[in-house]
Amino acid sequence: MIDKNALTIEELGRGGYKLYQPKDGFRYGTDTVLLAWFAASFLRKSAKATKCPQRVLELGAGVGTASILVQGRFPGVLSDAVEIEPIYAEVLKENIALNNLENKMRGFNADIRQLPLDVKSIQYDVVMFNPPFFTQGSGPKTLDHSDGKLGARFEENGSLNDFIATAASRVIPSKGYIVLVMHASRLNDVLVTFACNNIKATHIMSVHPFVDKGAEMVLVAGKRGASGTDVKVMPPLILNERTDGGIIMTSKIKEIYEEEHRDCFI
């Protein structure tokens, strides 16, 4: 049983939802918020979709932040979230209960390479993930191995191919979307791994700290078994701008964080 004194609680600013997070563990950031926004933009808004609830699967969900943010954007979806670290999976389940989402969201403590039968039996409209940005032996190092940071930053519990192959096995062929956020330096790895798993990239968006700086992250969506070769390279997403008063969020990022969901990329 997790010690609630070891957790913080934050307002997510969407749907009235709150979030427990470990005080000393891996905590969500801009990449998680952008993943939820980008993934939600591939959910259908039609009456047909409302009558037949859409399903979203999150791989490597941590404490469930992205899945809960998607719930805030599309309250009608059914979500499953899978997390390998026992402590994070326990907090994930606490967050589901905290937000009274038991009828809309399930949390699983499992390896994405060995999904539980309850997940294996379903095909999803959207499968999303924020995989470790770095392979073993690359990227910034962390000396703390005790709080989940190592597995969150490096491919300790599954490679990029493991995440993409698992997503491909669970998404609705030709119709559903696989959506991820990745360090910009690994865009080529994403596209090559997509191709190896019969996934066609459909949308790519680069994320920049400032308009005059190179991309730090990329948001990528694709379909398994889709026909055609076109890919939409979308306008870049700029996080910050400089003003006489200092650095502030751009209007688009402010909208993503604070306003109702208006984007639809399909």
Side-chain angles (χ1 to χ4, degrees), residues 184 207-217:
V207 181
H208 303 249
F210 294 94
V211 70
D212 58 347
K213 297 294 183 181
E216 289 186 345
M217 295 180 284

Side-chain angles (χ1 to χ4, degrees), residues 61 90 121 169-170 173 183 186 210 212 221 224 226 229 252 255:
E90 187 175 349
S121 64
S169 74
R170 300 277 35 93
H183 195 273
R186 299 194 65 193
F210 294 94
D212 58 347
R224 178 169 71 89
T229 58
K252 183 60 180 180
E255 175 191 316

Side-chain angles (χ1 to χ4, degrees), residues 198-248:
N198 193 27
I199 301 165
K200 184 182 82 70
T202 60
H203 300 74
I204 298 173
M205 178 181 289
S206 58
V207 181
H208 303 249
F210 294 94
V211 70
D212 58 347
K213 297 294 183 181
E216 289 186 345
M217 295 180 284
V218 286
L219 295 158
V220 186
K223 289 183 174 184
R224 178 169 71 89
S227 59
T229 58
D230 292 343
V231 56
K232 293 182 180 178
V233 180
M234 307 186 71
L237 188 61
I238 312 300
L239 300 179
N240 308 295
E241 60 184 343
R242 300 179 182 91
T243 70
D244 292 340
I247 296 172
I248 62 171

Side-chain angles (χ1 to χ4, degrees), residues 241-260:
E241 60 184 343
R242 300 179 182 91
T243 70
D244 292 340
I247 296 172
I248 62 171
M249 290 189 297
T250 60
S251 59
K252 183 60 180 180
I253 296 301
K254 188 176 177 64
E255 175 191 316
I256 289 171
Y257 267 89
E258 299 178 2
E259 298 182 19
E260 290 302 313

Side-chain angles (χ1 to χ4, degrees), residues 134 138-142 153-154 183:
F134 307 107
S138 70
K141 305 301 179 186
T142 178
R153 292 174 178 167
F154 300 92
H183 195 273

Side-chain angles (χ1 to χ4, degrees), residues 68-99:
I68 293 171
L69 286 171
V70 170
Q71 285 286 339
R73 292 177 179 278
F74 275 82
V77 302
L78 300 178
S79 302
D80 287 334
V82 179
E83 171 54 39
I84 191 171
E85 295 285 350
I87 292 176
Y88 285 82
E90 187 175 349
V91 179
L92 161 62
K93 293 175 183 178
E94 290 282 350
N95 281 328
I96 292 171
L98 174 68
N99 293 293

Side-chain angles (χ1 to χ4, degrees), residues 133-151:
F133 278 6
F134 307 107
T135 59
Q136 293 180 0
S138 70
K141 305 301 179 186
T142 178
L143 298 177
D144 192 344
H145 295 194
S146 63
D147 59 9
K149 290 182 180 178
L150 190 69

